[in-house]
Amino acid sequence: MSARAAIKTAIVGASGYAGEDLVRLLLAHPHADLVEVTSRQYAGQTLAQVFPKFSHYPRAKALSFTEPNAEMVEKPAEVVFLALPHGVAAEFAVPLLRAGARVIDLSADFRIKNADTYEEFYAHEHPAPDLLQKSVYGLPEVYRSEIKNAALIACPGCYPTSILLPALPLVRDHLIEPTSIIADSLSGVSGAGRKVELDYLFAECNESMRPYGVPKHRHLSEIEQELSKAAGKKIVVQFTPHLIPVNRGILTTIYCAPVLDFKSDETFAKFSERIDTCYRKAYGNDTFVRLLEGKALPDTKNVVGTNFIEIAWRLDHRTGRLIVMSAEDNIVKGTSGQAIQCFNIMFGYPETAGLI
Amino acid sequence: MSARAAIKTAIVGASGYAGEDLVRLLLAHPHADLVEVTSRQYAGQTLAQVFPKFSHYPRAKALSFTEPNAEMVEKPAEVVFLALPHGVAAEFAVPLLRAGARVIDLSADFRIKNADTYEEFYAHEHPAPDLLQKSVYGLPEVYRSEIKNAALIACPGCYPTSILLPALPLVRDHLIEPTSIIADSLSGVSGAGRKVELDYLFAECNESMRPYGVPKHRHLSEIEQELSKAAGKKIVVQFTPHLIPVNRGILTTIYCAPVLDFKSDETFAKFSERIDTCYRKAYGNDTFVRLLEGKALPDTKNVVGTNFIEIAWRLDHRTGRLIVMSAEDNIVKGTSGQAIQCFNIMFGYPETAGLI
Amino acid sequence: MSARAAIKTAIVGASGYAGEDLVRLLLAHPHADLVEVTSRQYAGQTLAQVFPKFSHYPRAKALSFTEPNAEMVEKPAEVVFLALPHGVAAEFAVPLLRAGARVIDLSADFRIKNADTYEEFYAHEHPAPDLLQKSVYGLPEVYRSEIKNAALIACPGCYPTSILLPALPLVRDHLIEPTSIIADSLSGVSGAGRKVELDYLFAECNESMRPYGVPKHRHLSEIEQELSKAAGKKIVVQFTPHLIPVNRGILTTIYCAPVLDFKSDETFAKFSERIDTCYRKAYGNDTFVRLLEGKALPDTKNVVGTNFIEIAWRLDHRTGRLIVMSAEDNIVKGTSGQAIQCFNIMFGYPETAGLI
Amino acid sequence: MSARAAIKTAIVGASGYAGEDLVRLLLAHPHADLVEVTSRQYAGQTLAQVFPKFSHYPRAKALSFTEPNAEMVEKPAEVVFLALPHGVAAEFAVPLLRAGARVIDLSADFRIKNADTYEEFYAHEHPAPDLLQKSVYGLPEVYRSEIKNAALIACPGCYPTSILLPALPLVRDHLIEPTSIIADSLSGVSGAGRKVELDYLFAECNESMRPYGVPKHRHLSEIEQELSKAAGKKIVVQFTPHLIPVNRGILTTIYCAPVLDFKSDETFAKFSERIDTCYRKAYGNDTFVRLLEGKALPDTKNVVGTNFIEIAWRLDHRTGRLIVMSAEDNIVKGTSGQAIQCFNIMFGYPETAGLI
């Protein structure tokens, strides 16, 4: 492990759920030093005042929120995490990169390689298209080596993480027909962010289950980009998110058609083995991907508050389909924890540093 | 409306969630007279003692639970509701029918026409196969006329109701390829019944989202039976239930392939109109089926505690699929309310009697 | 029962939780005819569009929200329900009363007889102090006869209802020392209204329990007014509300000191009997007050969605205190249901009309 | 910090909520080595199999549950945690202590110094009364020095912890009349343990708020013992627990009468200062006691999953009472975390080791 001093880190937009979770992870991180947090709303207050639960960290008592300003962009920390809405993040990334910071962006701004696709899904022109090719999609289990040297990380969305980790190995290994992918996802309400809107009031969400964003959710842009890349051809995915009354967690159920008919007992066993091998090859060394065994099925309560993702699958010999299920914490593995995992890779720390 | 006296009704197994809801509905029903309730656990106690919330009904103070016994089977009420586990329900149905009662069974015992299929899915020989052809599947919107004169009603399961009502019209009108149906369902915890098992403890369910029964849930037997009948050929369905931390409600999302390619704007508009027509034709006069309009999507909080089911659909011109979503109360429309709706039909009352 | 035509009713401010529940109750009421609903936000849309769950009522499809306007005040319906914030309600009440309408106000504006007390607790001068002496506090179990002929009803707050119904009989019968009353209340989040504020977001309330408004909540003004009146002297009450992650319900636990020492077995039995008699005398004929017996304790799940309030009490021979507990639905018995109960009394209908 | 090897630890009864949380804390503890876990139910399975969420710890894959047996009692680990029901715990403690182990008991068996009081509250004779005087009540903030050298720690109950930490300093410093204490507590459902009983099913708890154990809950025995000791006289306490639909957390609101009248502005300010001083003196150096400042009030969501307890207080100049509120995680600070804090003290580690 590195003997070098802790890395100076800043968070721009530290008062949303993702930002708050970054604060939690960085305050406890053995190799990070949180030196700057911004928030228009809380400028002038200390971290401890805004989040009393962090008040046992001396740094939380010492560090005050500032308004985002020119100085922090011109003389930035070594790493700057952007926990900002899409569109806004790019405005900060450009000067920060110019000033030499490494940027880990949690927004959607640098996830899409094609500026037209970005505009199609996000309904505004991309503010910094030049950077799209330079950014690295921060899915550690897939882009570990690119992340290591990246100046700009585009952390994946929470839904895409829950879909890509289970689906990519199958597509890469040509085990399924990529156009057959249907992803049905359930998300806790924190996924909407700390947005003060009627739809997210307690009494509107509790004892409610509902689909939304049907049929063209924004996250499809990055899901399809990554699956198309793995498939070697452009593919279109079916995706339906649902809002569920839990604070945290995403449960995804993926339906897909294997490339071969496995309904006989013999082919069933063989194909099962191929899937098993595929996942072990992909994630056998990945601490944070938990491949479930036996009768176990994913359950968000087993991963909430952690950077783990659980994955299980079943072949259905009646329908000929493969069903893959995953469970993650939308804010940790789906957002901030994954960002810290990228940070660890970027600076040569164990991937689990500050996360277990 | 009938001027005849209220119908004498009995409930066998009145202490589970379905039985309790039947009690609620029958106590308030303008044309029903609840004369007998059985429960091994509560025998000797009045309805008001076991369920203080019903204590404002004089009948709830007067009527005590009894153990199921020979007399109630030999000299039964005019209608007997069976809210018993599968296997047990059939044991009661046989002598009750012989004694001249009309039986409304909430279990799975008489839903499946084929005794082998029953045995495949329920893992025991059918106790009364002779009755299978005589029973009527109690889905009022589909089998209204058969229900009217039936001696034995087999009320549909809660998941099947949420899937069949949106799917049947499409299959009947040959608008979708029936083998393409994938039904992804979310259920509140009352769906497990008042079963005292670890999995259903509050702290095991709250802040948890999980699939279960993958890939061959028992309800597939009746879902496939009814869809096959509508399709005129045997079809197999993909179905995944999930357990969600709400008390009540089922939210189902169905993915299916239309029979034609509608990706051009013109075909999209035409096909949309055909689906719209299909649903209006099927349910235009059905009070309890609420076809949502405009941007509205189903939300269980809009139907909980009621006998309504909400249905909405979207064509996805990107994937070429049709997505249909439904929301119902698993205990009311999915179980006891539907049973009362059948009761109303059987005795010539308005279908909404005691339900709105 | 009256053979007269249904009463024409209007709701000003029909889009909050209380207003929505009034809509629900009035649409189903056998003797009310809802002819006008106002909402700035939804003006122009029908009730069925805004609340699809009411769409099976023909009236919900026919009736559109209007902006509050001069005409509805000058030629008002026979009864107007005001479901508006305090301060605003009084502005409507004055001209409505002048135009001859009977007004049932759900706000705090006319609950407090003393304009100075109103100003102390609500932080603004009372807008119509003349009306304070004319209004009737709409607690049906206490002010039934005054309600009958009132032109202006001030419906009690949700917390006060849950505290006054259990406490008033004890104070009136001099069984407890009124200065000893401590009321500890738990409320579901709908109690905050459909207010779009950070504190009431799902992820801020779920898995959270917290006190608020300590130690001087506004509702103390009416609690103390009514208890002082019953005691015949000015008394001050301790009251702490807590926010609990349920949609609906208030659970109140009241601690108080009996006027005599009952620690011996004999006095314990005698005093128990006096309390029992006190409550039976007060509420023996009140359908909506459910005095629990035996080991039963109040539970909000038994009253949610209804106009009932459950009450139970225990004498603690160790401490010498009396503990009284109540459970109600904050929106029904605590607000809209109680308003309908007043309406029924005002027009000579059975109190339970439209409520059971 | 000690350079000695990690302490070998065992958990008897590791499959309940308290036991599971001990597993979590010990697997991650820098100075503990978990060498034995018992469970009748799971004997033969590894920790990783029973709790997949711990499967990233090599120890969780290596360590299997055993049935409690003679060998583990005769040749025990250096420290044995007992997470067993009361009555059963004592049976293990006696031989374990004899064999030289240090015992940290999470049950109620050794909390009460007086065997008669134990029998009064727990309804059976104490199985090992000799040990009652030797055990140390494991409230670290109060009994730190006794804990250091204790052979037998009786960890406080979850409710008592939430009441004693806020109340003890006030009683010790004679700021309140100890007989005036009323503690009203709200607990998450995990407080009932992993008990498979109807009352704790999801659908029985969700959307429910209810008192229970009124007026004589078992935990009163230890609450009164400790407050009496601090007061120097026997006192009796009023305590009402309530069951609330959250997984974890206890929120306690304490009402008490100050020893002096502080209603004038001057005395109010002076008394406020005395209370402030009292708490700072008591807990100024205690990491895990978070004294809230300004307008902040305790909220369980700020402490869930941690060993912190939040405390805030308000003087009510209207009633002359002092209200003190606390929030803790019932399983961590209320049970297992507190046990680890004791462990840290016993072995000279920083109190926060493995807890922050």
Side-chain angles (χ1 to χ4, degrees), chain C residues 20 22 41 54 65 67 79 81-82 90 94 99 116 132 144 148 153 165 172 183 206 220 245 267 271 284 302 341:
Chain C
E20 178 186 341
L22 273 177
Q41 190 181 357
F54 299 142
F65 284 97
E67 296 236 17
V79 184
F81 292 85
L82 302 178
V94 175
D116 292 343
L132 292 181
R144 199 165 268 128
K148 191 155 183 52
I153 301 286
L165 286 177
R172 264 191 323 241
N206 188 40
L220 275 167
T267 52
F271 195 61
N302 291 332
Q341 198 180 346

Side-chain angles (χ1 to χ4, degrees), chain D residues 9-13 35-38 40 66-82 84 88-103 131:
Chain D
T9 60
I11 305 171
V12 184
V35 298
E36 194 155 36
V37 287
T38 83
R40 287 211 159 78
T66 57
E67 296 235 18
N69 57 50
E71 200 195 330
M72 57 157 297
V73 172
E74 286 158 18
K75 297 188 175 179
E78 189 163 354
V79 185
V80 181
F81 292 85
L82 303 179
L84 296 165
V88 183
E91 291 175 26
F92 281 84
V94 175
L96 282 166
L97 289 166
R98 201 182 306 131
R102 294 176 83 174
V103 173
L131 288 175

Side-chain angles (χ1 to χ4, degrees), chain C residues 120-121 179-188 203-216 220-221 224 234-240 242 244-253 255 297-301 304 314-323 325 327, chain D residues 120-121 179-188 203-216 220-221 224 234-240 242 244-253 255 297-301 304 314-323 325 327:
Chain C
E120 178 194 345
F121 279 86
T179 59
S180 70
I181 295 175
I182 295 175
D184 190 286
S185 295
L186 318 177
S187 174
E204 301 294 323
C205 295
N206 188 40
E207 295 299 290
S208 158
M209 305 187 281
R210 51 180 137 132
Y212 68 99
V214 185
K216 196 181 170 189
L220 275 167
S221 53
E224 292 176 353
K234 173 151 185 52
I235 61 170
V236 172
V237 167
Q238 193 76 56
F239 166 56
T240 311
H242 298 77
I244 301 296
V246 296
N247 278 353
R248 287 177 167 217
I250 286 181
L251 192 292
T252 285
T253 303
Y255 302 91
L297 290 175
D299 185 331
T300 54
K301 73 167 174 278
V304 159
R314 294 289 185 275
L315 280 175
D316 186 347
H317 69 89
R318 298 171 73 254
T319 63
R321 288 197 194 85
L322 168 64
I323 301 117
M325 295 146 285
Chain D
E120 178 194 345
F121 280 86
T179 60
S180 70
I181 296 175
I182 294 174
D184 190 286
S185 294
L186 318 177
S187 174
E204 301 295 322
C205 295
N206 188 40
E207 294 300 289
S208 159
M209 306 188 281
R210 50 179 140 133
Y212 68 98
V214 185
K216 196 182 171 188
L220 274 167
S221 53
E224 292 177 354
K234 174 148 183 53
I235 61 170
V236 172
V237 167
Q238 193 77 56
F239 165 56
T240 311
H242 298 76
I244 301 295
V246 297
N247 278 354
R248 287 175 168 221
I250 287 180
L251 192 291
T252 286
T253 302
Y255 302 91
L297 290 175
D299 185 333
T300 55
K301 73 167 176 275
V304 159
R314 295 289 185 276
L315 279 174
D316 185 348
H317 70 88
R318 298 173 73 255
T319 63
R321 289 199 194 84
L322 168 63
I323 301 116
M325 295 144 286

Side-chain angles (χ1 to χ4, degrees), chain A residues 111-133:
Chain A
R111 296 175 191 160
I112 310 302
K113 296 299 173 192
N114 183 310
D116 292 342
T117 305
Y118 180 90
E119 191 170 343
E120 179 195 345
F121 280 86
Y122 288 89
H124 61 91
E125 207 177 333
H126 195 283
D130 293 354
L131 287 175
L132 291 181
Q133 292 311 318

Side-chain angles (χ1 to χ4, degrees), chain B residues 103-105 107 109-111 135-139 152-156:
Chain B
V103 173
I104 301 178
D105 179 22
S107 86
D109 275 2
F110 300 103
R111 296 175 191 159
S135 71
V136 170
Y137 193 65
L139 197 60
L152 172 57
I153 301 288
C155 289

Side-chain angles (χ1 to χ4, degrees), chain A residues 184 204 224 238 255 318-319, chain B residues 184 224 238 255 318-319:
Chain A
D184 190 286
E204 301 295 323
E224 292 178 352
Q238 192 78 54
Y255 302 90
R318 297 171 74 255
T319 63
Chain B
D184 190 287
E224 292 177 353
Q238 193 77 56
Y255 302 91
R318 298 172 73 254
T319 64

Side-chain angles (χ1 to χ4, degrees), chain C residues 116-132:
Chain C
D116 292 343
T117 305
Y118 181 90
E119 191 170 344
E120 178 194 345
F121 279 86
Y122 288 89
H124 61 91
E125 205 177 334
H126 195 283
D130 292 352
L131 288 175
L132 292 181

